[in-house]
Amino acid sequence: MLGHAAGQDVSGLEGAAPHGWLLRSSREYSLFFLFNGVGLGIALTCLAVSHYLLGFRSALADDVAANVVGLVLGTAVHFWSYRRFVFVEPTGVPERDDEPTGVLAGVAGSAHE
């Protein structure tokens, strides 16, 4: 079980834009590993509910509960939590102005007239 969690964290860390991790803080690393653990816990909870509470004791039922239902729910939590807590835009960054400027401003403006 711990080997699965460690493998998931390492592969997720390497697969999530490795070049983007060069400038990340220890807070982001910690949150990344924390939410990976939460995703693993969701898959294990789905397995436990299916196996012990619902009484589905076959290998197929265990596989579907952990690797289909648990994976879908865990992925949804990963997506939401990474977007909400881990990979947030730093504060103090000026917002981008979408209005064209310079030489292309006249060209873009004439297309709308």
Side-chain angles (χ1 to χ4, degrees):
M1 196 57 60
L2 290 176
H4 178 72
Q8 177 185 5
D9 285 346
V10 170
S11 67
L13 184 63
E14 289 299 317
H19 59 278
W21 286 96
L22 295 175
L23 301 175
R24 299 287 176 185
S25 68
S26 61
R27 175 189 166 277
E28 290 169 323
Y29 282 116
S30 300
L31 287 174
F32 182 82
F33 287 114
L34 172 75
F35 288 121
N36 269 337
V38 169
L40 179 63
I42 289 171
L44 291 176
T45 301
C46 289
L47 175 61
V49 166
S50 169
H51 194 83
Y52 297 111
L53 293 180
L54 299 177
F56 298 120
R57 302 196 185 273
S58 70
L60 178 62
D62 288 347
D63 192 38
V64 168
N67 294 323
V68 176
V69 177
L71 182 68
V72 168
L73 293 176
T75 300
V77 169
H78 282 156
F79 179 77
W80 174 78
S81 63
Y82 291 167
R83 201 170 192 152
R84 174 74 173 93
F85 299 109
V86 179
F87 300 114
V88 294
E89 291 294 322
T91 57
V93 175
E95 291 187 24
R96 199 176 114 199
D97 185 19
D98 288 339
E99 292 296 320
T101 58
V103 176
L104 295 179
V107 175
S110 65
H112 296 291
E113 294 176 2

